Amino acid sequence: MLAYTLTRLVYLALVLAVMSVLVFLVTQAMPGDVASMIAGQFASKEVVDAIAVKLGLDQPLIVQYGRWAAGILRGDLGRSLVLEQPIAPILMEALGRSLVLAVVALAVVAVVGIALGVLAAVRRGKLTDQLVSGVSYLGIAVPDFFWAIVLVLVFGSYLKLLPTGGYAPIADGFLPWASHLVLPVVTLVLMLLARIARLTRSSMIDVLQTNYVKFARAKGMPESVVILRHALKNALLPTITVLAIDFGLILGGVVVIETIFSYPGMGRLLLFAIQRHDLPLIQATILIVSAAYCLANLTADLLYAFVNPKIRHGMRAS
Amino acid sequence: MMTAPQARPAASPAVAGASAPEPAPLLAPLPAPLLDVRGLTISYGNARGTLRAASDVGFAIRPGEVMGLVGESGSGKSTIAMAILDLLGGGGRVESGEILFDGTDLRKLPASERRALRGDRIAAVFQDPFTSLNPALTVGRQIAEPLIRHKGLSPRQAAVRVEELLAEVGIRDPRRVAAAYPHELSGGMQQRALIATALGCEPKLLILDEPTTALDVTVEARIIELLAKLCDSHKLSALFVSHNLGIVNRICQTVTVLYGGVVVETGATGRVLSRPAHPYSKGLVAALPRITADRRHRLPSIPGTVAKLSGPPAACVFAPRCPFADETCRSRPQAMLTDGDGDGVRCWKADALSGTPWPDEAAAPPRRPPTGTAAETRSAPLVEVDHLRKIYGASRSILPWLRRAGTVAVEDVSFTIGRGEVVGVVGESGSGKSTIGRALLALTEPSAGTVLFDGADLTQQVKRGDQTLRRRAQLVFQNSAASLNPRKTVGAAMDRPLVLAGREDAEERRRTVAGLLTRVGLPAAYADRYPHELSGGERQRVNIARALATDPDFVVCDEAVSALDVSVQANILNLLAELRDEMGLSYLFITHDIAVVSHIADRVLVVYGGTICEEGPIGRVLRPPYHPYTEALLSAVPRLAEDRKEAPRILLEDAAAAPGGRGCAFAARCPRKLGTVCDEQAPPVHETADGHRIACHIPLATLAERAAVFPELAGDAPH
Ligand SMILES: Nc1ncnc2c1ncn2[C@@H]1O[C@H](COP(=O)(O)OP(=O)(O)O)[C@@H](O)[C@H]1O
Ligand code: SF4
Ligand code: SF4
Ligand SMILES: [Mg+2]
């Protein structure tokens, strides 16, 4: 397990290094240059050049990249050109808000999706199963943004039960904070729930037919033990993988969702940075989102290895 | 070993619905049966109708008695076992009958009470140890579960008991095994752990459904020995489901023969196996390949497939396959005829047929004379394997902890196959048999060494994209169901190799397919069938026909008959022998069953841990001098009562570690190991005669001193 984790961490570092190069190069290729933006529209060429020299922008790309990367390793993400502030605190605040959204959504998807899947598998062919399958089908067939619009219209505009957008810091009280989370979270959950439920159902059905489940029954174990102890742990393996992919999807989907619900997270920040050509902010945001995505995948892989003794021990055996 | 008790109790006749047991002799008061099954009828219902998997089944098992339940696959054995456990799944329903356990009809109990009996009073062990243990839980935890549930032990008390149980089933370091996950144990160890689980609550009845079928013969021999010992010391009763008559002979006192869900014969094991009364039992016994049988004879087989009933039988169930059937048989169902000794047979002609054996195969073509002299065969071998070596999964990496040396599947193997020669390869699972076969067909690239086919390097040719030689070498393998695409008709599946071989005329291809099907003994109309419409034996015939499509010279049969019932196995073996005689085919015949190999092979390679430990003409390999591994393998072969001469059985330890290193591959398990020389030096190869070679540190003269495992063979001239 240790060797496995080490290996994965090495890979993670490699991936992030490559990502940082790509991000750096792509933003270099974008129109607009930092020095003239800082100097302002009416600055003379000399002033712009002076700023460029001061910032080191006249040096070769590789040196610039080295300085940027070294800064990141020290925790210094640079300064936003537009906001004229250090990027790190802004970014961390936005990241925190986005993560709350993503983690809450993922937790709901995992718990509700797995429960529905197990229920459908155990009652296979019965009414419960057909209901879950039917609703899942609807969930998969209907496009994501549709739910967002329906939810906003019904709960926000029509019933006026929930705020349709914005954000309240938790310092203002739990309820206002939570009420702003409900609609974006529900939208994200609806995007992903059906797939998890169906996947869990089908792997659970497979596992319930295995010999070890038959043997557990032959030992006189009650159904609840058979399902929860013997079947579920094995049935969850594929679900965990997909949940990890979903976490990535949520991080990506957050950009859209945050825009619809004007929620001030990473998605909004990235959009803002792109619209305003704030190159350092763009670089930092993309890099952090990528890192979060990779970490989510790593966590899922470790979790997968942890529940699957074959992998856990295979790593140390041979 | 157990033998049938001298005074056979007069068992209650297993007549359907028989209510009053026969009066027992006063001198020996009979214990009441522990399990008494009466008139049990079970159906599976699905969209296409109902299938009666058991019709009016009755039998009794007395305390301390082990009863064998035998029959071809699909005859309903597992269904009955599952019904007793109340674990019938998939639309199975008990229609009628009683299952009396200790005098109580289980069917009248509520589900919760039956569950409480399961794993406590009635315990079970199933066929496949590799899949019967939960991969996500430690072995110890799984053994402890019933102890905690039924006996109310605390987890800590249970852990102590688990170690005792593991020690009792012959596991040397119980603590380590209890803490292990199933995949860390060998198949034999896993099956021991399952047996320990079953014994935990000290049950009265064991339900054993083919408990050794998935294991290697040497492991099987030890597990059977263990089960027999445990049944004896714990006074356990058991229902032993098996299709292997040799094993039934070793462990069961009584046996019940099932056919098409109907009990056709029941009685003491010794009697049923040595003097079977029902024609079906006669067929099963006759079809068993025996090492001691005369190899020039074709194996008798039972043509046709198992009956599938949908309602009460209207005729003798076996009539469609019975060589003795007549009008009476076909017009009325048969009743169980019993005598006072607990023997019963469901055939009105049984008495008249008592001296008549199962008929020999009709019209056996003369067997081709044995392959020419050794020198002649060797002059122009078809296949030459030279220092073949194959390592799987070796990997290089810049990360030191990812570097793997890989697993050695084949460690330096050399041999030849002559034209028209059948070379058998025997050894346990994982010994590298299949890898050798795949390397011969260029399906896997050797890590070292060469394979010459008709003088040319097949691997190099295939690499260059030249398929001509490869068409001359084909493969037939074990799983006949998985090797055919379920969505393609038989004809379409056989058409493909022909198209690939460049045969353009569709009409001509169709005729070829029809010809091939006829050649393997199937109606040409089978070309339009789908694989699921065929029986296992028929599917294997289709696989053989498909392999023959490109008119090969050489066929690798990888466990080609292992998954089949003996009755069908005999049939396929005969077909393969016939094809060899008529078409001059050469085979590499891979199997774990040395009895099968002795029936078809001219020469045998005995492999262990990727090395050849003995090779030679079959007649020599079956007689001393033996390599210690061959000797153990031969002595593990289960045999019927009539063949049994009490030779001491050699029981091998469970494999502790994968073979490897510089010394003899067999050193870790060898009962005759000399000492460190075996661990450190590769054994020398002794050659006796006729190309008979043994690789062992023990001198040939010492090896030759051992008694023959099959003394009845001793007189025959080798070959
Ligand atoms: N779940 C099931 N649904 C329908 N038919 C079944 C099912 N299980 C077994 N059968 C059928 O019942 C018959 C007896 O099967 P089985 O009890 O498994 O026999 P055996 O153990 O002797 O091989 C076979 O014809 C088989 O195809
Ligand atoms: S009753 Fe007739 S068909 Fe049936 S087994 Fe006896 S002889 Fe054969
Ligand atoms: S060389 Fe040694 S270990 Fe190998 S078979 Fe011979 S006696 Fe046994
Ligand atoms: Mg079975």
Side-chain angles (χ1 to χ4, degrees), chain B residues 299-304 541 566-576:
Chain B
L299 274 172
S301 62
I302 309 175
R541 280 170 186 267
V566 276
S567 51
V568 186
Q569 192 180 57
N571 214 288
I572 299 291
L573 280 177
N574 290 340
L575 171 67
L576 289 170

Side-chain angles (χ1 to χ4, degrees), chain A residues 3 6-7 10-11 211-212 214-215 217-222 225 229-230 233-234 307 309-310 312-313 318, chain B residues 87 115 118-119 124 126 131-136 141-142 145-146 149-150 181 183-184 194 197 401-402 404:
Chain A
L6 268 173
T7 315
V10 171
Y11 284 147
N211 275 337
Y212 56 81
K214 188 166 91 172
F215 192 67
R217 291 194 173 121
K219 290 195 289 192
M221 295 294 117
V225 173
R229 188 186 301 160
H230 285 269
K233 205 169 169 197
N234 291 291
V307 291
K310 243 180 238 175
R312 192 177 351 142
H313 294 274
S318 48
Chain B
L87 288 177
R115 193 183 62 225
R118 272 205 304 269
F126 300 132
T131 59
S132 289
L133 284 166
N134 191 330
R141 175 136 187 235
Q142 299 186 56
E145 270 185 333
R149 173 106 214 136
H150 301 300
Y181 283 90
H183 71 270
E184 298 173 285
L194 289 170
T197 317
W401 57 85
L402 282 188
R404 301 255 151 80

Side-chain angles (χ1 to χ4, degrees), chain B residues 14-17 37-44 51-59 67-80 255-267 278-281 284 306-321 329 332-337 344-348:
Chain B
V15 178
V37 174
R38 298 180 186 175
L40 190 63
T41 298
I42 306 167
S43 300
Y44 288 106
L51 171 78
R52 260 207 188 200
S55 292
D56 215 1
V57 167
F59 55 80
M67 187 196 91
L69 188 59
V70 301
E72 287 161 284
S73 59
S75 55
K77 307 182 296 290
S78 301
T79 302
I80 291 169
V255 60
T256 296
V257 184
L258 205 62
Y259 179 78
V262 175
V263 173
V264 295
E265 181 162 4
T266 183
H278 194 277
Y280 179 59
S281 320
L284 282 183
V306 149
K308 297 215 188 284
L309 299 182
S310 54
C316 168
V317 269
F318 190 52
R321 295 170 76 187
C329 305
R332 68 175 65 133
Q334 296 295 308
M336 198 74 169
L337 310 171
V345 55
R346 202 182 285 272
C347 168
W348 68 282

Side-chain angles (χ1 to χ4, degrees), chain B residues 59-180:
Chain B
F59 55 80
I61 303 178
R62 293 179 194 289
E65 189 175 79
V66 180
M67 187 196 91
L69 188 59
V70 301
E72 287 161 284
S73 59
S75 55
K77 307 182 296 290
S78 301
T79 302
I80 291 169
M82 286 300 146
I84 295 169
L85 289 167
D86 193 22
L87 288 177
L88 275 178
R93 212 170 70 82
V94 176
E95 307 271 349
S96 59
E98 292 171 86
I99 304 170
L100 299 169
F101 175 70
D102 233 356
T104 322
D105 187 356
L106 296 181
R107 286 193 63 212
K108 298 215 175 82
L109 296 181
S112 60
E113 282 183 41
R114 293 196 71 173
R115 193 183 62 225
L117 283 176
R118 272 205 304 269
D120 185 20
R121 309 284 74 210
I122 306 179
V125 176
F126 300 132
Q127 171 164 0
D128 190 353
F130 307 98
T131 59
S132 289
L133 284 166
N134 191 330
L137 301 175
T138 61
V139 171
R141 175 136 187 235
Q142 299 186 56
I143 302 176
E145 270 185 333
L147 297 170
I148 295 168
R149 173 106 214 136
H150 301 300
K151 292 283 179 250
L153 298 192
S154 70
R156 188 161 305 175
Q157 292 166 317
V160 176
R161 178 91 179 101
V162 163
E163 288 185 20
E164 286 169 19
L165 285 165
L166 284 171
E168 178 164 12
V169 296
I171 284 177
R172 263 169 297 154
D173 44 355
R175 184 154 302 167
R176 186 186 68 78
V177 169

Side-chain angles (χ1 to χ4, degrees), chain A residues 27 46-47 80 85 89 97 105 112 118 140 145 177 182 193 197 238 244 252 257 268 276 279 298-299:
Chain A
T27 42
E46 287 72 41
V47 175
S80 159
Q85 285 175 21
R97 296 196 203 110
V112 179
V118 169
I140 286 173
F145 59 84
W177 174 77
V182 174
L193 186 65
I257 299 290
R268 290 274 312 273
R276 307 292 289 272
L279 292 188
L298 176 65
T299 318

